[in-house]
Amino acid sequence: MRVPDGVRTAVNVLLCLAAVVATGWSGREIWLVWDGRRQIDAACGGFVPVGRVLALSEAGGTITHRRLDDDSFDPATGIPRDCEIFSTEAGERHGSSTGSRWFFTGEMGVLPTDRPRVVDNPVEDLVDPRGGRTHPSQPLGGGIAGTVTDNDVTVQLPCEGGTAKGRPVEALWARAALLSRVASEERAHDRDVLAETAVIMANNLADRLGCADRLPDAPDHAPDLPEGPVPAARAEGTCAWYGKSGLAERAPYPDTVVESRTDDGVWDERCGLVLGEGRARSLYLSEADRHDWLSEPQLAGQWSVSLHTYSGPVAENLHLTRTYGDDAPEPATPGKAGRSAGEPIWWASSVCDGRPQIHTMAVATGYDRLVAPRMEQVFRAYVDDVTARRHCTDTVLPESSAFRAH
């Protein structure tokens, strides 16, 4: 069948117009990708793998970054402390009035640091106080010293032979974080991307500082984050010792736990003991008449015990409380043990593989006055478990007098 010349001409015109539109669209997409790469490199000094950041679920559209200023650079290394990346995709998802939203942060640095780490606060929430799901952090695995949460991955790397501005570096760290809550089906993908990103960041920093070692590739899949809390009898990770102790079977001890898998290579490991709402209320009702100072717990998990172990360079500069103004610092000194002067926080110390470890226990304010004397048994059992599992020596524990109720 012969196509009339007029129809053929019209079709050709439409095809040409479609080609022009397609070329323009693809050209815009190419420009957006190119500019996004430029923006990320400008913000992150070339340390962050651009392709991995662009693979995150909220990286679409126009990419921008926070402009760096003098305070953006680590004085110990001269590299950016962190880079903050924005996208219009994130803005659209969250209804941003500016059209763009901060969605990614990359941070890195060296250890030891002059800035002390502060241990868990007695009023810190171990579970969602509104009763929502809680997903405790987990070790990354794959032979990497790393931790994974719902929104970030942090890794560490020893840095033998490395220097920063003429000073030796013991270790370095890198963190890749997604700044927004994404749909559940996207979280696993984003955690995988963040794990790759953090590992590459650490290795890039190791190149810059002249470190001898590099991290292996991140696992193909970052670990799932099991939901907590769970009954103490089901504990099988960092709180397994507590489930076996039998303490959880009776008040006033906590009956549920928030735990992670054990990994002796992780510099930061926690076991959380939490009174479920039923046990907390029963304990309050049984004790309220005898203690007029006792307030009824109003939120889920308000009465809890946080047990934490810090190792390596982190343990060498650890404070029990934050300081303000003229406050005297309370260091948790390796080789010693004791209790904070003003807060229900105890610490012990040990040595593993020649490096110091600090073990701490923070008991929720209010609950501590009910149970302080009983917490000696809990803390000793926790420290015994960690030091045996990690083959530590030279353990120092607080004196029994440190557990008197204040």
Side-chain angles (χ1 to χ4, degrees):
M1 175 180 173
R2 184 176 180 276
V3 178
D5 290 342
V7 174
R8 182 184 296 113
T9 299
V11 170
N12 287 338
V13 170
L14 287 173
L15 290 174
C16 289
L17 288 173
V20 170
V21 170
T23 300
W25 179 85
S26 62
R28 171 174 166 75
E29 289 300 303
I30 292 171
W31 184 88
L32 285 173
V33 171
W34 175 84
D35 188 61
R37 289 178 173 274
R38 182 183 65 82
Q39 294 278 345
I40 295 169
D41 274 338
C44 307
F47 289 97
V48 172
V50 173
R52 294 293 75 209
V53 175
L54 293 177
L56 290 167
S57 60
E58 296 199 347
T62 301
I63 302 294
T64 54
H65 74 278
R66 180 179 64 83
R67 297 178 68 89
L68 300 179
D69 53 32
D70 291 342
D71 292 334
S72 302
F73 295 87
D74 185 345
T77 62
I79 64 173
R81 293 180 189 272
D82 65 76
C83 53
E84 299 169 6
I85 309 300
F86 300 71
S87 78
T88 53
E89 170 72 20
E92 290 172 4
R93 287 193 182 201
H94 298 274
S96 170
S97 59
T98 63
S100 187
R101 189 175 191 272
W102 181 12
F103 78 96
F104 172 80
T105 293
E107 299 176 282
M108 67 203 85
V110 299
L111 296 170
T113 175
D114 294 335
R115 183 181 303 173
R117 171 83 175 268
V118 180
V119 306
D120 296 339
N121 190 299
V123 298
E124 180 179 346
D125 294 323
L126 299 188
V127 299
D128 186 335
R130 297 173 298 279
R133 295 180 296 177
T134 296
H135 298 281
S137 64
Q138 299 294 327
L140 177 59
I144 297 171
T147 59
V148 181
T149 75
D150 226 8
N151 294 309
D152 66 59
V153 176
T154 305
V155 298
Q156 281 192 9
L157 172 64
C159 187
E160 182 179 354
T163 59
K165 290 196 171 181
R167 297 173 57 185
V169 175
E170 291 185 33
L172 58 86
W173 61 273
R175 173 177 176 262
L178 188 66
L179 270 294
S180 56
R181 294 279 181 179
V182 298
S184 58
E185 64 270 14
E186 295 175 322
R187 286 180 184 162
H189 162 77
D190 283 334
R191 283 197 298 270
D192 293 345
V193 174
L194 292 174
E196 292 180 80
T197 303
V199 166
I200 294 171
M201 288 169 58
N203 286 338
N204 287 343
L205 182 55
D207 286 339
R208 173 71 65 88
L209 301 179
C211 307
D213 296 326
R214 301 292 182 275
L215 293 176
D217 291 342
D220 290 338
H221 299 290
D224 293 331
L225 303 178
E227 187 174 333
V230 298
R234 288 170 45 193
E236 54 185 21
T238 53
C239 296
W241 61 275
Y242 185 68
K244 295 174 184 176
S245 72
L247 294 173
E249 297 174 5
R250 61 187 188 276
Y253 297 102
D255 54 338
T256 69
V257 302
V258 178
E259 63 173 358
S260 66
R261 294 185 302 278
T262 58
D263 184 334
D264 295 347
V266 175
W267 67 93
D268 186 324
E269 182 181 84
R270 181 159 72 174
C271 164
L273 312 179
V274 180
L275 277 77
E277 292 185 55
R279 177 162 295 186
R281 178 166 177 74
S282 295
L283 179 60
Y284 168 76
L285 292 175
S286 67
E287 298 286 344
D289 290 342
R290 290 187 290 170
H291 305 290
D292 56 6
W293 48 262
L294 187 62
S295 298
E296 182 177 3
Q298 301 294 320
L299 302 172
Q302 187 172 332
W303 283 357
S304 63
V305 180
S306 180
L307 297 145
H308 217 133
T309 290
Y310 308 85
S311 60
V314 174
E316 296 171 9
N317 193 9
L318 196 65
H319 285 186
L320 299 178
T321 57
R322 297 190 182 280
T323 55
Y324 303 95
D326 296 330
D327 292 348
E330 291 188 289
T333 308
K336 297 183 179 181
R339 175 179 178 166
S340 165
E343 298 289 348
I345 303 172
W346 292 257
W347 100 91
S349 62
S350 64
V351 178
C352 304
D353 293 327
R355 300 302 302 271
Q357 283 199 145
I358 297 293
H359 317 276
T360 66
M361 178 176 69
V363 182
T365 303
Y367 177 58
D368 69 292
R369 296 180 66 180
L370 285 177
V371 299
R374 297 173 183 259
M375 287 297 105
E376 179 179 10
Q377 180 182 4
V378 172
F379 192 37
R380 287 177 178 271
Y382 169 71
V383 174
D384 286 347
D385 174 75
V386 176
T387 54
R389 176 159 46 85
R390 297 189 172 195
H391 309 290
C392 303
T393 60
D394 302 317
T395 302
V396 183
L397 291 158
E399 299 289 340
S400 295
S401 59
F403 293 90
R404 293 173 183 157
H406 283 191

